Amino acid sequence: MSIKYRGETFSGYNKPKRARTKTKKFAVLAKSGSKVKLIRYGDANMTIKKSNPARRKSFRARHKCDQKKSKLSAGYWSCKKW
């Protein structure tokens, strides 16, 4: 099942994919209840090293990942990726 939204094709709701823009790295068609929102997140020019435990811990603390609960926010998806 693919979903067309604003000219982009998504494999489903709440499934991140690589963005086709040059400014953001990922895009997700988020759905929470009856609300649907296109969210782009991540710096396209930055490499991340989430395999390094110290970096991972620092990122999650800096962005307060344990408090991000709304699927309609870029912070939620960024934290989920980490």
Side-chain angles (χ1 to χ4, degrees), residues 53-64:
R55 285 179 185 243
R56 187 182 203 97
K57 183 179 178 184
S58 179
F59 177 90
R60 294 191 62 80
R62 186 170 62 247
H63 292 272
K64 299 180 178 142

Side-chain angles (χ1 to χ4, degrees), residues 10-69:
F10 292 87
S11 61
Y13 294 111
N14 302 327
K15 294 183 180 179
K17 70 171 193 166
R18 287 283 182 167
R20 61 181 188 169
T21 63
K22 295 181 180 176
T23 56
K24 296 296 179 184
K25 192 176 272 191
F26 300 102
V28 63
L29 188 59
K31 185 174 184 177
S32 180
S34 63
K35 291 184 181 181
V36 176
K37 187 175 179 181
L38 174 61
I39 299 170
R40 299 180 196 282
Y41 64 97
D43 188 345
N45 300 318
M46 188 176 274
T47 59
I48 60 172
K49 297 178 176 85
K50 66 181 179 181
S51 59
N52 183 333
R55 285 179 185 243
R56 187 182 203 97
K57 183 179 178 184
S58 179
F59 177 90
R60 294 191 62 80
R62 186 170 62 247
H63 292 272
K64 299 180 178 142
C65 288
D66 57 338
Q67 297 174 10
K68 307 267 176 126
K69 303 293 183 204

